[in-house]
Amino acid sequence: MELFAIFGNPVSHSKSPLMHNRVFEKLHYPACYTRILLEDGKQLKERFFSLSLQGANITVPHKEAAFQACDEVRGFAKKVGVVNTIVEENGRLIGYNTDADGFLYAIRDFSDIHKVLVLGAGGTARALVQRFLDEKMSVTILNRSKERLKEFETLGSVECSTWDDFKLKHPFDLVVNTTSAGLQDASLPAPKEIISSILDATRYAADAIYGKQTPFLQEAKKRNIPYIDGLDMLLGQGVLANELFTRHTLQKEHIQKAMEGALIL
Ligand code: NDP
């Protein structure tokens, strides 16, 4: 029996155990998936090996620490410095990022997305911004504090603002909340007047948070803006992570069908 886990803080809200265990059960893969509260990201590697895990997902706030913990990082994760999936290979930790592809999967029905505003500048934002740039989209970032914007400023083509200096210069096709605002509280990802002005000039909205309708999505709904929440993004990243965990022995379509079943339970 193989063992997998999700590391995070908080982690009790995570649906990942349900999703992956459903796949293992339905597709008769001999494995089990659990959740682990991790306070210090530096202890990730030690905890991973002491539990004899074969793979793991990493969530808030440890995705950058996970990048550091890996012996080797592959694909898109290497480009963005953020790891959400790790797999053990011959005693080494191999890191991947499946979040950005999961997000593109989630917005597949949104049309003509060229100008995107990203709220937040953490690990999720870093992955999505890089992927939007790869898709030749124009990207603006709005973050609470200045510190985390520095690395985005070095990208050159991204416009960065804090709450204090933000000015709405043009409408957006899509605004994405990648902050943790609304996850455990009822706060908006920026002051209400800023969020209102942005949503009044936006065609689509998305929130990375799942399991509840955030105050941000409530504001989008009031304006009849089509939106998605984090569930579809979660499903997309989960399918890709499960493919890695099961070393491509299961078919993506079968993983997806089983995982969708877990999300409607
Ligand atoms: P990080 O800790 O890396 O970044 C958090 C970001 O949120 C920072 O920009 C921070 O701003 C901002 N922030 C935190 N609290 C507030 C607040 N009260 N008001 C405004 N801004 C705030 O987190 P991640 O990028 O890893 O994750 C962010 C969110 O995305 C989480 O809610 C997570 O659950 C969700 N997520 C969902 C996924 C899915 O599959 N649906 C996948 C990945 C993440 P500052 O720099 O000022 O501190």
Side-chain angles (χ1 to χ4, degrees):
M1 176 76 89
E2 296 181 6
L3 183 61
F4 299 90
I6 179 160
F7 289 93
N9 183 14
V11 76
S12 58
H13 67 284
S14 174
K15 287 193 190 296
S16 291
L18 198 61
M19 289 160 54
H20 289 278
N21 282 328
R22 176 95 174 181
V23 173
F24 297 146
E25 186 202 330
K26 290 279 171 198
L27 303 184
H28 309 291
Y29 191 89
C32 184
Y33 188 112
T34 187
R35 53 167 71 86
I36 296 164
L37 177 70
L38 183 73
E39 282 169 3
D40 180 0
K42 291 196 185 85
Q43 290 179 353
L44 176 64
K45 194 169 189 173
E46 184 198 321
R47 293 286 296 280
F48 184 98
F49 283 113
S50 70
L51 290 162
S52 302
L53 299 175
Q54 272 74 46
N57 287 123
I58 323 299
T59 187
V60 184
H62 299 312
K63 293 184 189 186
E64 282 138 336
F67 178 85
Q68 300 299 334
C70 287
D71 298 297
E72 184 185 336
V73 176
R74 292 184 187 156
F76 188 66
K78 209 165 162 176
K79 202 167 182 181
V80 290
V82 180
V83 160
N84 80 323
T85 303
I86 51 181
V87 177
E88 184 269 336
E89 219 178 83
N90 303 318
R92 299 170 75 236
L93 285 190
I94 313 296
Y96 300 88
N97 185 301
T98 66
D99 282 332
D101 282 338
F103 186 81
L104 289 186
Y105 169 83
I107 62 161
R108 64 197 179 281
D109 292 334
F110 291 177
S111 60
D112 299 322
I113 305 296
H114 305 293
K115 291 193 171 78
V116 183
L117 173 67
V118 176
L119 303 168
T124 306
R126 197 192 300 175
L128 293 186
V129 166
Q130 187 58 58
R131 182 47 59 94
F132 293 152
L133 292 176
D134 289 351
E135 297 289 320
K136 309 273 181 259
M137 294 174 188
S138 134
V139 181
T140 303
I141 304 176
L142 173 59
N143 195 47
R144 177 175 60 183
S145 59
K146 203 160 179 55
E147 193 55 33
R148 294 207 220 202
L149 288 173
K150 283 179 190 153
E151 66 179 285
F152 291 94
E153 280 160 357
T154 62
L155 291 174
S157 51
V158 178
E159 191 161 327
C160 298
S161 307
T162 63
W163 297 355
D164 293 335
D165 57 24
F166 178 75
K167 285 190 182 60
L168 187 67
K169 293 182 185 159
H170 52 71
F172 295 101
D173 298 311
L174 170 69
V175 55
V176 190
N177 176 31
T178 72
T179 75
S180 321
L183 180 64
Q184 287 189 305
D185 54 32
S187 63
L188 284 164
K192 188 158 184 186
E193 58 280 12
I194 297 183
I195 294 297
S196 296
S197 68
I198 289 166
L199 286 175
D200 287 343
T202 299
R203 291 171 50 233
Y204 296 104
D207 203 318
I209 293 172
Y210 64 85
K212 65 185 285 193
Q213 194 173 60
T214 58
F216 171 71
L217 286 188
Q218 287 166 19
E219 289 295 320
K221 194 176 177 186
K222 268 190 220 163
R223 291 165 174 79
N224 290 321
I225 297 172
Y227 64 84
I228 54 136
D229 74 7
L231 261 197
D232 286 324
M233 178 178 171
L234 180 76
L235 180 67
Q237 64 76 33
V239 169
L240 301 183
N242 195 279
E243 262 196 311
L244 292 166
F245 291 156
T246 55
R247 295 169 166 82
H248 298 272
T249 56
L250 303 178
Q251 278 186 33
K252 193 185 286 187
E253 296 70 32
H254 295 165
I255 296 174
Q256 183 175 327
K257 198 157 174 254
M259 235 177 224
E260 274 169 356
L263 292 177
I264 54 167
L265 283 177

